[in-house]
Amino acid sequence: MIELKNIKKSFDGLEVLKGISMTFEPGKTNLIIGQSGSGKTVLLKCMLGLYSVDSGSMLFGNRPLENMDDNQRRILRREIGMVFQGSALFDSMTVLENVMFPMQMLTDQDEKSIRAAAHEVIDRVNLNEATQKLPAELSGGMQKRVAIARAVVMRPKYLFCDEPNSGLDPKTAIVIDNLIREITKEYNITTVINSHDMNSVMEIGDTILFLKDGLKAWEGNKKQIFKTDNEAINNFVYSSRLMKKVKEVYQ
Amino acid sequence: MKLLHHIGAYLLMLRLVFIKPTKAKVMRKLIFKDIQDLIVGSLGIVAFLSFFVGGVVAIQTALNIESPLIPKSLVGFATRQSVILEFAPTFMCIILAGKVGSFITSSIGTMRVTEQIDALEVMGINSVNYLVFPKLVAMMLLPLVINISMFLGILGGYTATLYGGFSSSADFIDGIQMDFKPFHVFYAFIKTVVFAIVLATIPAYQGYYMKGGALEVGKAATVAFVWTSIVIIVLNYMITQLLLA
C-alpha cells in the first residue's frame, strides 16, 4: 500500500502539488488522471524518489519515504518497477538482456536462474518469439510489453506506469491495459498509472485520482465516474464527442 | 555565473563516477565494449591521419631548408619532434574529441532523451558510474593509440622523405635519433592521460545533463567538441609550461 499525506511540491516558487492525500491499495490498478500540467508526472516522480517533496509524507507500507536513509531507499527501489512512457528499453540490448538487466545488476543470483526468471515473465507477456530481437525491431505495443516484463521481473511490490498507452492504437492499448491489470492481481502489486486515456480509465480504473491544478479534484472508481456531479471531472471526462455520446447512452 | 555552475556540476559528476560502483561482472563487460568502441574503433582514423600528417611535416620541413649549411638530418629531427611533442598527443586528441567525444555525448544524450537514464536511476543504479566509469577506464588506453600515432607519423615522414627524394634514409634515421630525450615521450604520455580524462568526461557531462530531444543531442555533441578542444588546448599550455619550461 502507498499512502500520500498532504504532498506539496514547488519549482522556482511555482506550486505544482498543493497538498495531495491519497491511498493506493495493493492488487488494484490505481490511476492518476488529469490534464497536461495538472501535476501527474511530478506526483509520480515524487513517489519514485526522483523528486524530493517540500512537505507531506509518503508511506510505502508503513515506511515513510522522507525518513529513509540511502540504504533504505536502495532497498525500496528494488521493490519498485517502472514502465516509462517511451518504454525506455536499452537500445543495445536484446529483449532477453533488457529483462535480465535488473536482476543482473541488483541480485546475486546465478546466470541460469536469472535467465529462467526472465523467460518466465517474457512468456507471461507473450513475447517468446522475440527474445533475441533488439527494441528497434519491435512494434510499440511489443516494446511496452517488454517494458512491463522488465518492470515485474524482480517481483516488485509497487509498479508505476507513466502513460503506458501513449502512441498505441486503441486495440493494442486495451491489450496493454489488461496485461497490467492481470499482472497487478496475479502478483498483488500496488500499481499506480499516470494516464489521460479515458479508455484506460473505463477499462482498469479500480481507483481513480483526478488532479486539477495540483489539487485532488476528485477520487473514486470507474463506476462512480459516470455518476458523479463533480464539475471538474465531468468537464475532463466528457470533453470529447464520443464520451458525451457514451454518457447519453448510459443515462 | 553559468560557467561556474557548469564547472561545479561537472566536478560533482566526477565524484559520482567513483561512488556506488556497478557490479564488477557487469562493469567488466561495459569496459570491454567501450574499449572496442572508443579505442579500437579509433585506430583506423588515427593511423591514416598520423601517416599522412607525418609525411606533410617532413615535406614542409625539407622544402623550407634552403641553406646548404643546415644538415639534411634536420628533416627527421623536426618530424620526430613535431610528431612526438605536439601532433600525436595534442592534435590527435583534438581530432578524437570530434570522433570519440561526439560518440560519447550522443550515446549518453540519446539515453537521456529516451528515459533510459531515468530507468537506471529508478532501479537504484548509479547511472553516472554505470555510464561514465567504463569510458574513463577505456580511455586510459589512449596512450597506446598515441604511441601508434607517433610511430606512424614518423614512418609517414620517412616514407615521404624517401619517395620525395628530400634526403637519404641514413640522414632521416640520423635525424630521428639526434638529441633524443626520452623525457619528451614521457611528457607526451602524461599529456595524453590528462587529455584522455577530459575526452571521456566533458562529452559525458554534456550528454548526461542535456535537456530536450533529438535536435538537442546534436547541439550537445557540438558543444562537447568545442569545450573539449578548448580545455585540451589550455591544459596543453599549462602542462607544457610545467614540464618543459
Side-chain angles (χ1 to χ4, degrees), chain A residues 77 91 104-107, chain B residues 22-23 115-116 121 123 130:
Chain A
R77 281 190 170 168
D91 307 323
Q104 285 172 329
M105 294 295 287
L106 304 170
T107 71
Chain B
T22 303
K23 281 170 78 174
E115 296 176 311
Q116 292 175 50
E121 288 292 320
M123 287 175 203
Y130 179 83

Side-chain angles (χ1 to χ4, degrees), chain A residues 48 50 74 77 82 84-86 88-91 93 101-102 104-108 111 150, chain B residues 20 22-23 25-26 29 33 110-111 114-125 130:
Chain A
L48 287 164
L50 294 175
R74 208 170 300 141
R77 281 190 170 168
M82 172 79 195
F84 285 87
Q85 190 172 358
L89 301 176
F90 301 116
D91 307 323
M93 297 182 193
F101 182 77
Q104 285 172 329
M105 294 295 287
L106 304 170
T107 71
D108 292 322
E111 190 75 7
R150 187 178 70 180
Chain B
K20 275 174 69 183
T22 303
K23 281 170 78 174
K25 196 177 158 190
V26 178
K29 278 186 193 168
K33 186 181 176 300
T110 304
M111 288 185 77
T114 56
E115 296 176 311
Q116 292 175 50
I117 291 177
D118 289 340
L120 289 169
E121 288 292 320
V122 168
M123 287 175 203
I125 294 162
Y130 179 83

Side-chain angles (χ1 to χ4, degrees), chain B residues 76-135:
Chain B
F77 176 80
T79 305
R80 185 200 74 200
Q81 289 298 85
S82 309
V83 168
I84 289 180
L85 291 175
E86 280 311 309
F87 173 71
T90 308
F91 290 97
M92 200 45 75
C93 283
I94 289 175
I95 289 162
L96 289 178
K99 188 193 179 291
V100 171
S102 58
F103 172 79
I104 292 174
T105 306
S106 56
S107 60
I108 296 179
T110 304
M111 288 185 77
R112 169 63 73 196
V113 299
T114 56
E115 296 176 311
Q116 292 175 50
I117 291 177
D118 289 340
L120 289 169
E121 288 292 320
V122 168
M123 287 175 203
I125 294 162
N126 176 1
S127 56
V128 176
N129 174 267
Y130 179 83
L131 295 171
V132 185
F133 186 77
K135 290 174 177 53

Side-chain angles (χ1 to χ4, degrees), chain A residues 2-38:
Chain A
I2 302 172
E3 209 177 336
L4 309 179
K5 290 180 180 173
N6 201 25
I7 299 298
K8 290 184 180 175
K9 176 71 185 171
S10 300
F11 292 100
D12 300 326
L14 179 70
E15 206 172 13
V16 180
L17 300 176
K18 301 171 183 171
I20 308 284
S21 297
M22 184 72 189
T23 301
F24 300 119
E25 290 177 21
K28 287 187 175 178
T29 42
N30 305 280
L31 268 74
I32 303 172
I33 61 171
Q35 281 179 278
S36 299
S38 59

Side-chain angles (χ1 to χ4, degrees), chain A residues 36-48:
Chain A
S36 299
S38 59
K40 300 189 301 287
T41 302
V42 174
L43 182 60
L44 198 75
K45 288 193 171 177
C46 286
M47 283 190 271
L48 287 164

